[in-house]
Every structure is written in structure tokens, then in C-alpha cells.
Amino acid sequence: GNSIKNKQIEDFQKQMAIKPYDSQKKIFIIDSAGSMTVSAQNRLLKVFEEPPKYGIVILVTDNIYKLLPTIRSRGQILNFTGISKNIMEDDLIKRYNIDSNLSEIYYGFSQGSYGKAIQFIEDEEFLSRRSYIIDMLESLLKKDNRKIFDYISYFEDKKDFIDDLISFMTYWLRDIIIYKESQSEEFIINKDYIEKIKSHSMIFDKVFINHCIENIKDTDKKISSNVNYSLCIETLLLNIQEGR
């Protein structure tokens, strides 16, 4: 399911209770630990309160505040940074036989996460979805209202990829702001669209672009909070188009 439940942690407890045979330690990794139910976390807490000397438990989460304060207070927090740009790009070029421009794009959207970069490369529609969103934003920013309902329908069809679509929108507008302020291509993510970014940086006002970014962030939060998806998307696209 979508969460780690009590039964799974109970099974984990039983495994933890068995002493290691071949080594001095037993190491358990709980991925997406923030998806544990409150009941599951309370059961896990019993292990943390009386851990065996040989036991090491690693909780992996993208949001530490999804874990109970009692869990957080009994662990050591380690913040992981992304892989360096040069290392990841060199490896992606060698492993997937892509050019340096594409490796930069995948690195930029992955924010240093190698797993995400691979996921993007192996997703055959990743670049086409990005192109669609860039064309859509250009149309909306220029107040072209002929395709607004097509765009809303597209978001409905691609609901499973909403995180990617939000990222495409955010990073495109971010690139416009960065070039507008610096006149430099160094930190641009969508480098293969640099001429269009330059053009947009001259056309669109900084305040307006920042306002659009805040609108996108607010929409992302609402969708994460289970506010009606269709209403959130329709409101967002109309607000961008109308400059609100």
C-alpha cells in the first residue's frame, strides 16, 4: 500500500530480535520512513528505547517532520547532499551514451540524486513532457487563451507525473529569473532552450515571474494536502494566464 503499517514493523521487530550469525552487526534500512503510520512508529519506538547492541536502524525520509518527535529525538540525523555535478555527468555520459547538454539537464532536474537522474533518462516521455510544459507556459505568459482547456486536460491525463510537471514549470521560470538577473548561462538548467530563455527574460517582468512561481508552490502544497486536484490545476493555469 501507500504506507508502512504496524504488521510490517512487527515483522521487523522479530528479525531484529534474532542475533547476527556471520557478523557483529545487523543493519536494517527503512526506506520512505515518513510513510509509517503513527501506530507503526509507536511500535518502532519500542525498539529504539531498548535497542540490541548489534542492531543498526537507518530511516530514510525526504521530510524528517513526518516522523514523530519521539523517533527523531532518539536518532542521529544525517543530512545527505547530492552527488557532485562533474562526477554524475561524466558517469551518465559514459553509461547512457548521451551528450553533455542532456547530462546537464538530467543533473539539474535530479538536483544531485543519481536515482532520479536514471529514472528521468529511462522515462521515454520525460523530455516530451518538459517540451509540452515549456510551450504551455510560453502561451500562458503571453495571455493566449485558445488552448487553456487543452492544458487543463493535459494535467488531468498526466496526473501521475504531477511532481515532474510542477518541477518543469518551476525550473523554467527560475531559469528566466536567473538569466534576467545575471545575464549568465552558467546556472541555467534548461540549457537546450537558452535562446527562448533569453527572449522571455526580456519580455516578462521579474515581479510577475516571481508571482507565478509562488502560485506554483502554493498549488503544489495544496495538491500534497489533498485539495481537489482539478480545481487546483485550473486555478493555477488561469492565474498564470491572467497575471494574477
Side-chain angles (χ1 to χ4, degrees), residues 31-45:
D31 202 2
S32 301
S35 69
M36 283 188 290
T37 63
V38 172
S39 176
Q41 290 193 49
N42 283 323
R43 179 173 286 275
L44 180 66
L45 188 58

Side-chain angles (χ1 to χ4, degrees), residues 5-23:
K5 299 177 177 65
N6 212 40
K7 177 64 168 61
Q8 290 163 291
I9 299 302
E10 185 180 355
D11 292 341
F12 153 77
Q13 283 178 297
K14 292 175 182 177
Q15 289 295 321
M16 174 68 88
I18 302 172
K19 292 183 179 181
Y21 177 74
D22 291 326
S23 62

Side-chain angles (χ1 to χ4, degrees), residues 225-241:
S225 301
N226 293 318
V227 177
N228 183 278
Y229 177 84
S230 299
L231 180 61
C232 285
I233 295 303
E234 185 174 341
T235 302
L236 171 65
L237 300 186
L238 287 172
N239 282 345
I240 292 175
Q241 182 189 63

Side-chain angles (χ1 to χ4, degrees), residues 5 11 74 120 124 136 144 154 167 225 227 237 242:
K5 299 177 177 65
D11 292 341
R74 286 169 171 77
F120 297 153
E124 294 180 356
M136 179 200 77
D144 183 354
Y154 181 83
S167 292
S225 301
V227 177
L237 300 186
E242 296 171 12

Side-chain angles (χ1 to χ4, degrees), residues 134-147:
I134 290 172
D135 290 342
M136 179 200 77
L137 276 176
E138 182 172 37
S139 174
L140 292 176
L141 292 170
K142 291 181 176 179
K143 317 300 182 191
D144 183 354
N145 61 7
R146 289 173 296 176
K147 294 185 177 180

Side-chain angles (χ1 to χ4, degrees), residues 111-169:
Q111 293 295 290
S113 168
Y114 194 81
K116 281 188 177 180
I118 291 174
Q119 179 185 330
F120 297 153
I121 290 173
E122 294 181 349
D123 179 353
E124 294 180 356
E125 294 185 2
F126 180 80
L127 294 176
S128 63
R129 288 197 299 272
R130 182 184 64 126
S131 296
Y132 185 93
I133 292 300
I134 290 172
D135 290 342
M136 179 200 77
L137 276 176
E138 182 172 37
S139 174
L140 292 176
L141 292 170
K142 291 181 176 179
K143 317 300 182 191
D144 183 354
N145 61 7
R146 289 173 296 176
K147 294 185 177 180
I148 185 68
F149 294 108
D150 290 340
Y151 299 146
I152 293 171
S153 178
Y154 181 83
F155 272 81
E156 289 287 349
D157 292 340
K158 303 295 182 183
K159 188 175 181 177
D160 290 343
F161 299 97
I162 184 59
D163 289 343
D164 287 353
L165 303 185
I166 290 290
S167 292
F168 295 150
M169 297 173 77

